[in-house]
Amino acid sequence: MEEATNIPQEWNKFYLKDVSFVNLMTRRIFNVLIVANPYDAFMLEDDGRVDEKIFDEYMELGMRYPPTFRQVSTTEEANEVLQTTDIDLVICMPGNADNDAFTVAREVKAAHPNIPCVVLTPFSHGITKRIQDEDMSVFDYVFCWLGNTNLIMSIIKLIEDKMNIDHDIKEAGVQMILLVEDNIRFYSSVLPNVYNYILAQSKRFSTEALNPHAAAQRKRGRPKVVLATNYEEAMMLFEKYHENTLGVISDTRFPMKSVPGRLSHVEEGDPEAGLKLLREIRRRDEYVPLILDSSEIVNREKAEAEGFHFIDKNSTKMNVDLHHLMEEHMGFGDFIFRNPETKEEVFRVSSLKELQDNIFKIPRDSMLYHVSRNHMSRWLCARAIFPVSAFLKHVTWHKLQDVDAHRQIIFDAIVQYRKMKNIGVVAVFDRLKFDRYAHFARIGEGSLGGKGRGLAFLDNIIKRHPELNQYETAKVSIPKTVVLCTDFFDEFMEKNNLYPVALSDASDEEILQHFMRAQLPDSLIADFFTFFDAVKSPIAVRSSSLLEDSHYQPFAGIYSTYMIPYLEDKYEMLRMLACAIKGVYASVYYKDSKAYMLATQNVIDQEKMAVILQEVVGKQYGNLYYPNFSGVLRSLNYYPIGEETAEEGIASLALGLGKYIVDGGQTLRVSPYHPTQVLQTSEMETALSETQTRFYALDMAHVGDDFKVDDGFNIKNLRVKQAAVDGSLTYIASTYDPTDQIIRDGIYDGGRKVISFCGVLQHGVFPLPELLQMAQKYGSEEMRRPVEIEFACNLNDDRTGEFYLLQIRPIVDSKQVLDEDLQKISDTECLLRSHNSLGHGISEDVFDVIYVKTDDDFTAVNNPYIADEIEQMNRQFLKEDKNYVLIGPGRWGSSDYWLGIPVKWPHISAARVIVEVGLKNYHVDPSQGTHFFQNLTSFGVGYFTINTFTGDGVFQKEMLDAMPAVEETRFVRHVRFERPMKIMMDGKKQQGVVLFPSNE
């Protein structure tokens, strides 16, 4: 090889010093103390399987002692643990009813100043305000918690990286990625993303021609991640580790200096801080990759003008873009040789051996392009091949301007390195966990998602409270369930290349069609067949997303739930199941879901979907399948009447499938503690007009793959008469006798059947009230807050029954303090006053009112058009990031437009208060128990019921009519005050007022 003659002596004979990975990452976090209520802790330990995930990872890293988690709720418990255990990290999760996590953390930190302390908080408006005013100096970091367990792993890694970085750089030349970002919410989502990517890459490069033991240790050489929240801190870190910086990812706007005891995101940011930082770093290092991210698109030009890479924070595929840039410029993934002119790929190598085999085949201009930019050294660095990378880092183009000499040097270095190492490959072992006898099982390794977590939690409650099964006639359980974890969703989306269409503006139907044509992994077929054999009943395919029912942000009712019939032809059933799963996956990207993401300020690609396959509770009647009754139980009753209290809770019961309740159908409202006092059946007139007349059942004859965007396409909406024919009304119906004008409990021939639940509520046929009392008691005790529980029940003629718990989620209560007694405010000051309001808190930043124009001739026939007009206006408010008060007749969000205006939550998501008013000739009962309420309470939106015709409340509509309209359509009017109105709501007393703007 003649090239060797051109190589200067210093690089012709060289010696590579092997790096031992054994001494890396020696300082570890072994014991983690979590200050949280039991539900949050359960989400971490049982669903998130934090223990298991971290255990697996540690085993792979060749570490013997993965961290253990201890959970406490109070300072006393924390002190007890700290006396007996050496705690390495404290994680505080605010949300305790009696003790704030901030306080517990401070007390722990005061006693043990050297323990790192991290706050993990759901970002509700109350907490954001608190953080601004709190002294945060005791906390190392503050993170935003949305229920995704990867964040916990990232926090542990981040703190371990901080503890080990100095030693590991000295020992082996480990690399560092500097992340500069002051927005808590953003870095909480980006860090798990970066760590997942780095850990996945380190798993890939550990197979780099090594034996399994060495491969496991090898991963300790992965790049470390360091987080800075302001310019001063970032510059200090770069100066310290500039020799080992693999890349910098920086925000654009952040503070220049750090203020002791305050978080950076509270301070005023410099709009060009990121550009200043990257310029300074570029001045000192011409090679290091620099990435600027910003939500302000004007910064793209500024960044690219200076040769920095740019990522748009608002982009729905931000995470994908970041991965691409890290792969391309920080040396992760395959090494791609490019044509310097066109930037097209000319060659690709994925391992050291491939590079060695092909180094002399690479076109000269491509080789020159990469060598002169130090790409080769960076690629080896990212793969933890430090000896070769450190050696090549100093063989720069400035020192040696000969492409062929560079080829030879690289070749020799690789050969020497590979001789120095032994060869062996790690086999990846994949296990499908599925037990056909278990009633709760998972397939895959990702998360269970929100509903999955809730179900696992319910199962756990049933196990720990045997008293739920104390009645011989009633068996309490959850339905047989299998969860398809979130990793299948990722694989499905990527393998079928569905992101482009999913994130586009395509219509829901179009998105569904694309998803239906995609392919699910074949490995699932055998598991599905086993599941069919185990349940022998129809299967409900429900969404279980990471954000849905996530403790503080409900995505309830936004995604689809399909049901498929049980068929003798297993292959046909498999086809329908596959369609249903794809339909649920597709619903993440429907228009409503995207609008909802916007309303909650979530990033759509943070949303990962698990799918729950669950036996449908019910019995078969001919071609119909449905349970005797379903229900929703809420442990807080915002509409207590008679002797009921707010804390005793409320249940909504309905014959048939629970989707009827969710869709806002007419249900029977009863307090579990007052089963004999049912308002709807107290008088004959209301019993006939305000009880259920229709119900939902699954159509077992509807076979085929004609799946629609509407997940109720194979659900039949039937008259109660049909249930009487099926014989499914025993113990839950009464009969109206028209001749005697009386309603008799029980079922008799002739006469209309009234769904009164008399047998189970008043006659003690089945211990339903007792079961509901226990379910809500244990549910809210375990979650430490009010809960909503969905259930279904099969009743048998011999008075036995199976009571199934289907779902649990918290009702979020705001912590805002309301000192004023609303009763003392005079009516003249009120634009609106309700003695029947839902919601709690005060707001003083709303100027606008949108109201439906109503007079004595109002007719519900136009309600669907009204919904469209309001959606248009709402869009404008979302765009301007403003809120309004919404007033209209009847129940908002009812799917039956005769009962109210059929809006969905995304259509009114900018409303701060929603008011349902009664009209002279249009009386509708106040609604409660639809999915709306979960959204209302979570976003702190008020819901007022006012009926001025019966003297219940105040609505000074004439004042609004007298004001000029900002916008007026055929049915709706929008007016704006010059100053903000004052909205006050007292959740415990059900009082709410909206005051006219003050004249001060």
Side-chain angles (χ1 to χ4, degrees):
M1 288 188 180
E2 296 106 64
E3 290 96 333
T5 54
N6 305 338
I7 297 174
Q9 187 57 37
E10 58 178 307
W11 295 315
N12 205 348
K13 295 274 184 291
F14 55 85
Y15 172 67
L16 294 181
K17 177 177 173 291
D18 194 6
V19 169
S20 162
F21 291 88
V22 176
N23 299 328
L24 301 186
M25 293 294 279
T26 47
R27 299 185 60 196
R28 288 285 186 173
I29 285 174
F30 295 120
N31 293 305
V32 180
L33 182 68
I34 295 180
V35 183
N37 63 50
Y39 175 71
D40 280 327
F42 174 85
M43 268 162 59
L44 283 178
E45 292 164 19
D46 285 46
D47 160 47
R49 313 196 323 286
V50 166
D51 280 334
E52 192 181 319
K53 277 186 184 167
I54 290 180
F55 181 82
D56 286 351
E57 196 212 339
Y58 275 59
M59 290 299 107
E60 285 182 25
L61 287 175
M63 299 294 297
R64 294 227 179 93
Y65 306 107
T68 51
F69 294 87
R70 297 286 298 275
Q71 180 261 324
V72 297
S73 304
T74 62
T75 315
E76 292 74 43
E77 293 172 4
N79 288 336
E80 213 171 290
V81 173
L82 284 159
Q83 279 164 11
T84 54
T85 317
D86 287 336
I87 294 292
D88 305 306
L89 168 66
V90 177
I91 296 180
C92 282
M93 303 176 75
N96 301 10
D98 54 348
N99 208 334
D100 249 315
F102 290 117
T103 323
V104 181
R106 278 210 182 81
E107 288 165 3
V108 169
K109 192 79 175 176
H112 306 271
N114 297 328
I115 300 179
C117 203
V118 172
V119 175
L120 208 48
T121 157
F123 256 46
S124 63
H125 38 257
I127 290 183
T128 319
K129 283 189 189 131
R130 291 246 346 241
I131 285 184
Q132 291 179 7
D133 308 325
E134 294 270 345
D135 168 18
M136 302 305 282
S137 52
V138 302
F139 301 115
D140 294 52
Y141 297 102
V142 176
F143 290 95
C144 165
W145 166 246
L146 289 171
N148 95 4
T149 46
N150 298 0
L151 181 57
I152 299 280
M153 207 157 85
S154 309
I155 292 171
I156 291 174
K157 294 274 143 248
L158 187 68
I159 290 175
E160 285 182 348
D161 282 0
K162 197 172 169 181
M163 287 161 36
N164 291 297
I165 187 163
D166 290 333
H167 171 270
D168 291 8
I169 282 182
K170 213 151 108 200
E171 176 86 11
V174 169
Q175 299 294 292
M176 167 199 88
I177 292 175
L178 177 60
L179 177 66
V180 191
E181 173 61 66
D182 66 332
N183 181 324
I184 294 177
R185 193 154 188 162
F186 187 73
Y187 67 60
S188 301
S189 116
V190 128
L191 264 177
N193 187 17
V194 170
Y195 268 115
N196 280 358
Y197 185 70
I198 291 175
L199 292 166
Q201 292 297 333
S202 72
K203 196 167 179 174
R204 273 180 58 186
F205 71 56
S206 70
T207 59
E208 190 78 72
L210 301 168
N211 62 39
H213 176 67
Q217 292 192 337
R218 193 54 199 277
K219 294 181 183 173
R220 299 181 195 175
R222 66 165 176 77
K224 299 194 174 335
V225 179
V226 181
L227 175 67
T229 56
N230 56 59
Y231 182 93
E232 197 179 336
E233 191 182 356
M235 217 48 231
M236 191 191 78
L237 289 165
F238 178 74
E239 280 167 2
K240 195 170 175 187
Y241 306 124
H242 64 97
E243 279 290 320
N244 295 78
T245 303
L246 190 60
V248 180
I249 303 167
S250 172
D251 185 18
T252 310
R253 178 192 293 271
F254 50 84
M256 297 296 283
K257 295 203 161 17
S258 45
V259 180
R262 304 233 328 147
L263 292 174
S264 289
H265 86 286
V266 178
E267 305 302 325
E268 189 55 45
D270 179 329
E272 299 228 348
L275 290 160
K276 291 177 187 167
L277 175 73
L278 298 191
R279 273 182 212 129
E280 182 57 23
I281 291 176
R282 175 59 75 233
R283 195 175 65 72
R284 301 177 187 209
D285 185 335
E286 61 175 306
Y287 295 126
V288 66
L290 304 176
I291 299 173
L292 187 77
D293 58 54
S294 172
S295 49
E296 298 162 42
I297 202 74
V298 291
N299 289 320
R300 180 185 287 278
E301 285 174 25
K302 295 183 190 171
E304 290 173 351
E306 304 206 31
F308 309 144
H309 308 292
F310 182 81
I311 287 182
D312 177 6
K313 274 190 183 179
N314 291 333
S315 161
T316 42
K317 53 183 219 325
M318 196 215 105
N319 285 350
V320 185
D321 294 343
L322 183 59
H323 289 179
H324 283 324
L325 284 178
M326 288 173 74
E327 189 155 317
E328 184 80 22
H329 301 287
M330 291 189 194
F332 293 97
D334 297 346
F335 193 105
I336 299 170
F337 288 90
R338 296 190 181 281
N339 176 327
E341 306 306 332
T342 62
K343 298 288 184 286
E344 279 170 8
E345 176 177 334
V346 289
F347 206 89
R348 172 189 290 257
V349 296
S350 58
S351 69
L352 208 52
K353 177 160 180 355
E354 277 184 29
L355 181 60
Q356 175 193 322
D357 292 349
N358 296 297
I359 189 86
F360 294 109
K361 299 177 191 163
I362 310 295
R364 193 185 172 86
D365 56 351
S366 176
M367 195 70 200
L368 168 66
Y369 172 76
H370 292 290
V371 166
S372 62
R373 283 167 179 75
N374 212 3
H375 289 171
M376 204 70 73
S377 165
R378 189 167 303 119
W379 184 69
L380 295 165
C381 243
R383 299 175 91 75
I385 301 171
F386 299 124
V388 185
S389 112
F391 169 67
L392 291 180
K393 190 172 185 176
H394 297 292
V395 188
T396 61
W397 184 249
H398 302 302
K399 295 182 187 167
L400 176 64
Q401 295 175 355
D402 178 339
V403 174
D404 292 321
H406 275 280
R407 286 188 210 266
Q408 190 62 46
I409 291 171
I410 292 167
F411 180 83
D412 292 345
I414 295 173
V415 170
Q416 184 174 337
Y417 175 79
R418 292 188 55 194
K419 279 181 188 157
M420 187 172 77
K421 293 283 184 192
N422 5 339
I423 295 165
V425 167
V426 175
V428 177
F429 178 66
D430 188 20
R431 59 200 188 288
L432 288 172
K433 305 176 181 168
F434 185 60
D435 173 7
R436 65 174 288 192
Y437 301 107
H439 65 279
F440 193 96
R442 67 172 76 236
I443 303 178
E445 286 297 321
S447 167
L448 297 173
K451 286 199 185 106
R453 278 199 284 263
L455 267 166
F457 189 57
L458 279 172
D459 197 28
N460 189 275
I461 289 176
I462 294 168
K463 250 187 217 122
R464 282 181 304 143
H465 292 286
E467 54 273 38
L468 278 164
N469 276 301
Q470 66 187 2
Y471 300 100
E472 280 179 24
T473 54
K475 174 176 171 280
V476 179
S477 65
I478 65 169
K480 281 203 183 74
T481 305
V482 164
V483 182
L484 212 55
C485 291
T486 50
D487 46 342
F488 281 99
F489 176 71
D490 295 346
E491 183 187 333
F492 174 75
M493 292 297 292
E494 277 166 24
K495 283 221 170 117
N496 293 293
N497 193 20
L498 287 168
Y499 282 114
V501 67
L503 297 171
S504 70
D505 291 334
S507 70
D508 293 355
E509 282 74 16
E510 217 172 307
I511 289 176
L512 181 66
Q513 288 317 311
H514 274 275
F515 274 68
M516 286 299 172
R517 287 197 289 270
Q519 198 64 43
L520 284 165
D522 289 344
S523 59
L524 294 171
I525 296 174
D527 296 331
F528 288 162
F529 280 155
T530 316
F531 185 56
F532 295 162
D533 282 348
V535 294
K536 291 202 170 12
S537 78
I539 293 173
V541 182
R542 302 177 193 280
S543 61
S544 178
S545 69
L546 276 188
L547 299 176
E548 191 173 21
D549 301 337
S550 140
H551 204 10
Y552 301 93
Q553 289 200 340
F555 271 47
I558 295 293
Y559 303 132
S560 302
T561 297
Y562 289 99
M563 291 191 178
I564 61 164
Y566 181 71
L567 306 170
E568 286 308 317
D569 179 349
K570 295 295 171 285
Y571 283 95
E572 183 60 40
M573 196 168 165
L574 181 73
R575 260 197 29 233
M576 287 187 75
L577 180 64
C579 287
I581 292 170
K582 290 185 260 190
V584 168
Y585 282 166
S587 68
V588 177
Y589 298 101
Y590 287 171
K591 194 171 93 208
D592 283 353
S593 317
K594 287 175 181 157
Y596 199 82
M597 288 279 176
L598 202 68
T600 51
Q601 294 177 341
N602 273 300
V603 191
I604 201 159
D605 63 2
Q606 262 193 357
E607 184 60 310
K608 301 261 192 272
M609 182 68 79
V611 173
I612 295 180
L613 311 180
Q614 194 176 54
E615 66 174 319
V616 179
V617 177
K619 300 176 187 164
Q620 188 158 352
Y621 305 94
N623 279 332
L624 299 175
Y625 191 95
Y626 57 94
N628 295 88
F629 63 90
S630 305
V632 174
L633 171 67
R634 293 166 59 88
S635 65
L636 245 192
N637 176 7
Y638 284 116
Y639 294 105
I641 42 176
E643 293 171 15
E644 300 166 3
T645 66
E647 284 72 25
E648 282 175 338
I650 191 79
S652 300
L653 305 174
L655 157 75
L657 295 170
K659 182 175 164 57
Y660 178 81
I661 304 172
V662 170
D663 285 355
Q666 182 67 270
T667 58
L668 195 81
R669 217 173 141 277
V670 60
S671 162
Y673 289 89
H674 305 279
T676 55
Q677 297 171 14
V678 181
L679 179 73
Q680 284 144 284
T681 54
S682 56
E683 292 170 18
M684 190 175 77
E685 199 179 318
T686 52
L688 292 174
S689 63
E690 292 182 16
T691 52
Q692 193 175 349
T693 54
R694 307 191 72 85
F695 72 101
Y696 284 178
L698 173 64
D699 180 1
M700 298 285 274
H702 193 130
V703 176
D705 48 12
D706 54 336
F707 276 62
K708 311 265 192 310
V709 170
D710 171 19
D711 54 14
F713 75 100
N714 58 351
I715 305 287
K716 280 193 157 173
N717 182 340
L718 302 157
R719 298 178 70 90
V720 166
K721 229 182 255 169
Q722 178 63 47
V725 175
D726 294 338
S728 61
L729 295 179
T730 320
Y731 307 130
I732 64 167
S734 306
T735 308
Y736 169 60
D737 181 340
T739 46
D740 293 349
Q741 294 279 306
I742 189 171
I743 294 178
R744 295 196 169 90
D745 289 352
I747 294 178
Y748 304 99
D749 283 348
R752 182 184 140 193
K753 304 297 176 279
V754 177
I755 308 297
S756 62
F757 291 94
C758 52
V760 290
L761 293 177
Q762 287 100 24
H763 302 163
V765 169
F766 184 76
L768 179 68
E770 292 80 1
L771 293 177
L772 294 178
Q773 287 172 25
M774 281 192 285
Q776 94 182 8
K777 177 171 177 282
Y778 299 138
S780 52
E781 274 175 12
E782 299 282 344
M783 279 204 179
R784 296 288 202 277
R785 67 195 59 208
V787 291
E788 183 168 272
I789 296 173
E790 288 179 24
F791 57 89
C793 184
N794 285 336
L795 268 182
N796 306 319
D797 290 347
D798 61 2
R799 298 186 169 218
T800 59
E802 295 89 44
F803 183 78
Y804 291 96
L805 297 171
L806 306 179
Q807 204 178 327
I808 186 168
R809 54 175 168 259
I811 301 174
V812 184
D813 260 0
S814 87
K815 268 192 166 181
Q816 288 164 311
V817 185
L818 185 77
D819 302 325
E820 224 166 321
D821 184 354
L822 302 186
Q823 308 278 18
K824 292 185 178 153
I825 297 169
S826 82
D827 282 358
T828 51
E829 295 173 46
C830 302
L831 164 65
L832 294 159
R833 160 169 269 158
S834 170
H835 303 299
N836 195 352
S837 82
L838 160 61
H840 192 73
I842 306 174
S843 52
E844 299 183 67
D845 55 357
V846 179
F847 294 79
D848 298 81
V849 178
I850 292 179
Y851 65 104
V852 178
K853 296 193 277 191
T854 51
D855 48 32
D856 292 349
D857 309 328
F858 175 80
T859 164
V861 79
N862 297 319
N863 282 357
Y865 305 115
I866 297 175
D868 292 342
E869 290 182 0
I870 290 170
E871 183 187 0
Q872 298 298 328
M873 289 185 181
N874 187 67
R875 214 170 278 162
Q876 195 53 40
F877 276 91
L878 283 177
K879 215 178 273 172
E880 295 170 14
D881 198 16
K882 289 188 176 146
N883 299 100
Y884 57 88
V885 173
L886 177 64
I887 307 170
R891 290 183 184 185
W892 286 101
S894 171
S895 54
D896 176 349
Y897 67 83
W898 289 103
L899 294 177
I901 293 162
V903 286
K904 284 191 171 168
W905 175 251
H907 305 158
I908 53 168
S909 52
R912 183 67 62 82
V913 174
I914 298 169
V915 186
E916 50 183 30
V917 289
L919 300 178
K920 207 175 201 168
N921 52 358
Y922 187 69
H923 298 287
V924 175
D925 245 20
S927 57
Q928 187 201 20
T930 63
H931 266 40
F932 251 19
F933 281 82
Q934 181 69 0
N935 297 323
L936 297 177
T937 48
S938 182
F939 297 130
V941 176
Y943 199 96
F944 290 12
T945 301
I946 297 176
N947 196 340
T948 49
F949 291 94
T950 58
D952 183 10
V954 173
F955 171 29
Q956 301 204 35
K957 179 168 177 287
E958 62 285 354
M959 303 287 276
L960 298 180
D961 290 341
M963 290 171 66
V966 177
E967 183 183 353
E968 185 159 359
T969 61
R970 189 174 155 206
F971 302 113
V972 182
R973 209 162 174 267
H974 167 199
V975 297
R976 178 172 296 150
F977 288 97
E978 283 174 18
R979 306 171 75 95
M981 298 168 278
K982 184 169 187 181
I983 300 166
M984 296 196 282
M985 300 175 283
D986 182 336
K988 290 285 188 287
K989 294 183 184 154
Q990 277 83 42
Q991 298 293 322
V993 293
V994 176
L995 305 183
F996 285 114
S998 59
N999 298 322
E1000 294 153 24

